[in-house]
Amino acid sequence: MQTAADAGDAATLLAAVPAGRRVALIDPRFVGHVHALRLGLTDPRFAAATVPGALTAQPEARGALLRALRRTTAAVGAGAPVVAPDTDPAPEDRTVPGRIAVALEAEGTAVKRPELGSLTATVPTDAGARATAESARDGVDDEAVRLRSAVKAHDGFFTTFAISPYSRYIARWCARRGLTPNQVTTASLITALVAAGAAATGTRGGYVAAGILLLVSFVLDCTDGQLARYSLQYSTMGAWLDATFDRAKEYAYYAGLAIGAVRGGDDVWVLALGAMVLQACRHVVDFSFNEANHDAVANTSPTAALSDKLDSVGWTVWARRMIVLPIGERWAMIAVLTALTTPRIVFYALLIGCSLAACYTTAGRLLRSLTRRASRTDRAAQALADLADSGPLAQGVAAVAPGLRGAFTAPAVALLGTLVMIGAALFLPYGSWLTVAAAAVYLLLSGLAVARPLKGALDWLVPPFFRAAEYVTILVLAARSDAPHAVPAAFGLVSAVAYHHYDTVYRIRGGTGAPPQWLVRTIGGHEGRTALVAVLAAVLTHAAGFTTALTALAVAVALVVLVESIRFWVSSSAPAVHDEGELA
């Protein structure tokens, strides 16, 4: 820390700091909480940020900061206003850091102004104001606010009332011992994998241990995010690990339960794969709808207005959060049922609960879409096209086919293709070449569905239809096959493909766009993989080779997708995306 005599001296001192470092400019009269400064000066997600009396700049905003400081040095020294003469700047904008923040924004550099809530951050101009500010500061427990702010806003009922009241203290314990969120995330994954191993024993003691360990894993899963918010240790890698490991933990646990059930004489692999397919399709409905409406304008949906009205009534908020069966409620149900019942009952409960949740959320999204008067943007259309995961075959059809017109044409065509594909897999004789013909029809309809930009009211349904067609086809063909262990092999294939689809979502959310086209082409796109599995079922009818082929395909897809994904996220400069904590 260095003290500058005036604004000109501050510019000289800042210019001497090595280019790769963050810098901060703080008014010496500042009065406030340490956590207010922490929020304003240490959050790595923003190039520039300010609280009253303090300003920070990351390396990428250093140049703009110095230019703004040098431009205003003479004016500040002469007592001239930095803002336009006809404006009345807020008190915090009359300090040097405040003036520089205004100048940065005028130049086009975004400056984050974090919400401080009950925290104090001010620059008093006289003894009376200073006494008032110090009294306000001393009247609020800085650490209590920091702990409360570590809890994610708008969480589920189980997480809010059964986990967060104590997990925040675990987060603080981790912070004081120098542990990072990524380390806690990894510990959560390892715990869940041990839980899956315990479930795979197929014994009652193993099931009880698995249920307990799964809850411990979830506590750690909550703790990593709370630690990130408590210590402001946000990172791109952390966001990716947190999201990816959640899926890995859940699917590994499903596999462990299925293995344990087989050891007990009950083959539930079809139920395990069905639960995974249903959960993945639920998620893509959420992702696709959110991306379609991420930057929609002129939202006048009466359904959205009704939802906001319901949220103003206390009990309905929690009821609606529980109905959708978020991860906290879902894992609690899985853990308790694992310890007390059988894997088959666990999967039945999952399928029923997730089906009801899917019906509720999808119905609400349909009503919002049909009653919304909004214009979809090019960005939204591109996001939906990326989520569709169309391979070279569907893209080829789209390139030569005329765009289908009509507000609901794209989802209708995608639904028709999905019904044709799933219907053939279900009702045609297993191994029939007619199923391959149905796959060709699905391929054609898939290309037609994406031949025009997906800007219609219900076009966000196109990616979920494609996911359902691919995942369910793999599930049905593997289940109908007489090949031994075909369903576990299919479980591995769907897991690999689902990872690719989740990875696509996380990249779009991070603002870096979808995975590269060469990756999509290499793994065939949804239509190519679906057609390939249909061909394999026809060629390898009633042969163990079908299991081998599914396993080889799963390994190939997983290797290509994981290697490229890890390379991207390790080297990516994408901004971290985290849910905010409760307002202090």
Side-chain angles (χ1 to χ4, degrees):
M1 180 181 294
Q2 299 187 58
T3 302
D6 52 32
D9 188 27
T12 302
L13 292 173
L14 289 175
V17 177
R21 295 184 182 177
R22 174 200 289 268
V23 296
L25 190 65
I26 306 174
D27 193 298
R29 299 168 296 171
F30 175 86
V31 173
H33 289 97
V34 173
H35 193 52
L37 281 179
R38 187 181 292 113
L39 290 172
L41 303 182
T42 66
D43 196 323
R45 295 173 295 175
F46 311 110
T50 186
V51 293
L55 172 72
T56 186
Q58 295 269 39
E60 59 267 32
R62 285 274 305 276
L65 171 63
L66 283 174
R67 288 193 299 272
L69 184 54
R70 286 166 176 163
R71 282 199 313 268
T72 58
T73 296
V76 171
V82 175
V83 294
D86 59 344
T87 63
D88 182 18
E92 60 267 23
D93 291 339
R94 298 186 186 124
T95 65
V96 171
R99 291 170 182 266
I100 302 303
V102 172
L104 281 173
E105 290 174 322
E107 184 182 295
T109 300
V111 179
K112 174 66 177 179
R113 300 174 186 270
E115 293 286 345
L116 298 181
S118 59
L119 295 175
T120 296
T122 187
V123 178
T125 56
D126 55 49
R130 186 174 189 84
T132 301
E134 290 175 344
S135 176
R137 179 196 61 195
D138 296 340
V140 174
D141 186 341
D142 181 85
E143 181 61 19
V145 169
R146 189 181 181 189
L147 273 173
R148 187 166 65 250
S149 301
V151 177
K152 185 168 66 175
H154 311 302
D155 223 329
F157 181 87
F158 178 77
T159 304
T160 299
F161 294 104
I163 304 296
S164 293
Y166 58 87
S167 62
R168 69 183 74 181
Y169 295 100
I170 300 176
R172 181 172 68 180
W173 183 89
C174 293
R176 290 177 175 177
R177 282 153 184 81
L179 297 176
T180 67
N182 290 353
Q183 291 171 333
V184 178
T185 301
T186 303
S188 175
L189 173 66
I190 292 172
T191 305
L193 294 179
V194 174
T201 63
T203 64
R204 176 52 51 195
Y207 290 148
V208 172
I212 295 172
L213 288 170
L214 188 64
L215 288 177
V216 172
S217 175
F218 182 65
V219 171
L220 293 174
D221 184 53
C222 295
T223 300
D224 63 2
Q226 291 168 355
L227 173 58
R229 286 182 285 273
Y230 180 84
S231 57
L232 298 178
Q233 296 183 73
Y234 302 110
S235 70
T236 301
M237 176 65 75
W240 172 68
L241 286 178
D242 185 50
T244 302
F245 283 4
D246 278 349
R247 305 286 78 77
K249 289 181 287 189
E250 190 162 7
Y251 298 160
Y253 193 80
Y254 290 176
L257 279 176
I259 293 171
V262 170
R263 288 187 170 181
D266 187 14
D267 190 341
V268 296
W269 272 107
V270 170
L271 296 179
L273 181 50
M276 183 171 72
V277 168
L278 178 57
Q279 190 60 26
C281 289
R282 275 190 65 199
H283 283 152
V284 78
V285 167
D286 296 338
F287 297 148
S288 189
F289 176 82
N290 291 336
E291 288 303 323
N293 299 285
H294 176 75
D295 49 5
V297 294
N299 177 11
T300 57
S301 168
T303 307
L306 175 60
S307 178
D308 293 339
K309 185 176 181 180
L310 288 174
D311 279 343
S312 66
V313 182
W315 69 269
T316 64
V317 174
W318 296 115
R320 295 170 71 209
R321 291 185 190 177
M322 294 174 68
I323 288 172
V324 300
L325 205 65
I327 189 170
E329 277 73 1
R330 193 166 67 251
W331 281 27
M333 179 182 72
I334 293 171
V336 171
L337 291 179
T338 297
L340 300 180
T341 64
T342 65
R344 181 172 289 273
I345 292 177
V346 173
F347 286 123
Y348 280 153
L350 265 175
L351 289 167
I352 293 171
C354 289
S355 295
L356 293 174
C359 290
Y360 172 77
T361 55
T362 304
R365 283 158 171 68
L366 286 170
L367 287 173
R368 286 178 183 236
S369 299
L370 291 173
T371 57
R372 182 191 301 267
R373 287 173 173 78
S375 299
R376 297 295 193 280
T377 64
D378 291 337
R379 178 204 173 280
Q382 183 59 53
L384 292 180
D386 292 334
L387 289 173
D389 192 35
S390 299
L393 298 176
Q395 290 176 358
V397 172
V400 300
L404 298 173
R405 298 186 179 276
F408 309 118
T409 303
V413 171
L415 175 60
L416 177 60
T418 298
L419 294 176
V420 168
M421 190 66 252
I422 295 177
L426 277 171
F427 301 115
L428 289 177
Y430 175 78
S432 170
W433 283 95
L434 289 176
T435 304
V436 178
V441 173
Y442 171 67
L443 186 158
L444 176 64
L445 293 174
S446 298
L448 293 175
V450 296
R452 288 175 62 84
L454 298 175
K455 292 187 175 182
L458 297 180
D459 285 359
W460 57 270
L461 286 169
V462 171
F465 286 148
F466 290 163
R467 293 299 81 75
E470 180 179 4
Y471 296 166
V472 175
T473 296
I474 296 172
L475 166 61
V476 171
L477 291 179
R480 296 186 66 192
S481 169
D482 289 336
H485 310 301
V487 180
F491 189 97
L493 176 57
V494 173
S495 298
V497 175
Y499 175 84
H500 163 61
H501 291 144
Y502 280 112
D503 186 51
T504 300
V505 170
Y506 303 143
R507 295 197 196 198
I508 293 173
R509 282 184 168 183
T512 61
Q517 274 298 302
W518 70 260
L519 175 67
V520 177
R521 290 193 295 269
T522 300
I523 60 176
H526 69 91
E527 80 289 350
R529 291 186 298 270
T530 304
L532 178 58
V533 172
V535 170
L536 291 174
V539 172
L540 303 173
T541 306
H542 306 304
F546 185 54
T547 299
T548 303
L550 287 179
T551 302
L553 182 58
V555 171
V557 172
L559 282 176
V560 173
V561 168
L562 283 173
V563 169
E564 200 284 329
S565 175
I566 293 171
R567 179 211 61 78
F568 170 80
W569 287 106
V570 169
S571 61
S572 173
S573 59
V577 179
H578 287 271
D579 292 318
E580 296 294 341
E582 297 289 355
L583 183 61

